[in-house]
Amino acid sequence: MGPDVLRLPEPPAREADFDDDFAAPDLRRDRWVDHYLPHWTSPERSRARYDIDSAGLRLRIDADQSDWREEDAPLRVSNVQTGVFSGPLGSRRGTHRHRPDGLVVRTETPERLLWAPAGGRVDVTVSASPDEGCMLAAWLVGTEHLSDQDTGELCVFEIDAEAVGERESRARCGVKAHSDGRLTTDMTEVVLPLDASQPHTWTVIWDASGTVIGCEGVVVKRSPQAPAYPLFLLIDLFEIGPRSESGTAYPKTARVHRVRGWNAGAGIHAL
């Protein structure tokens, strides 16, 4: 690496507040909700398809998987997230109101705040999907359980399958305001000298001074802003667009090998 490369700080020496290497035979229910924003749709449509083996969590898109919402078709997703919040049935309250076209609660979902840091550091080790039409993403999104203004998002990465190469891959990362008027959307496409379908660790560090995002220990994005409220971590595999014509193309997969997180505290500074 050249002399101008800015490296991330080492992880804190203290024990992580959140640590999962998916070594257990089943998904940890004290850590994860295996549905994608279940309040905005039905349980069958939001439920993740996945399995766990020696390489970690394998998110899947299966040939028979339903679209997340009929209105969003064609769009299928398998996601795990560190909590969920929903208002009453028929309301517009709920985590990640990311669409302006009238999302309402279709499945009333009990509040679960499994892990929702308001600042700190998250390291996510993943292998992105090279399968047609897929995108692997990791986001920290406002829980909205304290206020419906808390809609901001830290986009750790979004990696399209078509952007994955053997020697170079592209990804999007940064801050998304959504409807939080205290933030301004600040997204960047970064070019990485690596094959994103192989295991690599992404990092986000945020506090009152701003946000830093990195990959494999190297800073790829800096922003002077950051949400100052609790955030859920979402890791999701999408298939966007029509299904592949050949049934042999399924399942489409991506891997989550390990997730570690430290709540804001000593030794964690974004800028």
Side-chain angles (χ1 to χ4, degrees), residues 27-94:
L27 193 70
R28 291 185 57 177
R29 301 297 170 174
D30 64 332
R31 292 299 194 196
W32 302 103
V33 174
D34 57 349
H35 286 257
Y36 179 61
L37 307 175
H39 41 291
W40 301 133
T41 184
S42 66
E44 178 54 38
R45 291 180 179 275
S46 65
R47 183 176 297 112
R49 308 287 184 94
Y50 63 91
D51 46 69
I52 296 175
D53 58 21
S54 60
L57 174 69
R58 185 178 76 143
L59 296 172
R60 303 193 322 262
I61 302 295
D62 294 334
D64 65 346
Q65 195 160 341
S66 299
D67 292 297
W68 176 60
R69 294 196 320 154
E70 290 184 24
E71 298 91 330
D72 288 21
L75 176 71
R76 292 154 294 283
V77 57
S78 287
N79 163 86
V80 292
Q81 57 189 66
T82 62
V84 66
F85 162 73
S86 149
L89 195 68
S91 78
R92 299 183 186 277
R93 289 292 309 279

Side-chain angles (χ1 to χ4, degrees), residues 115-182:
W115 188 54
R121 174 180 176 134
V122 179
D123 290 354
V124 182
T125 304
V126 296
S127 298
S129 177
D131 297 321
E132 179 186 22
C134 284
M135 178 184 80
L136 181 68
W139 303 318
L140 287 149
V141 303
T143 63
E144 300 189 49
H145 78 289
L146 298 178
S147 169
D148 61 6
Q149 300 302 306
D150 295 346
T151 59
E153 171 192 326
L154 298 178
C155 176
V156 188
F157 60 80
E158 294 173 346
I159 306 173
D160 298 324
E162 64 185 20
V164 176
E166 291 184 2
R167 297 184 179 179
E168 183 178 279
S169 300
R170 302 188 313 277
R172 296 178 297 278
C173 58
V175 177
K176 298 180 186 178
H178 296 295
S179 59
D180 185 347
R182 298 160 293 187

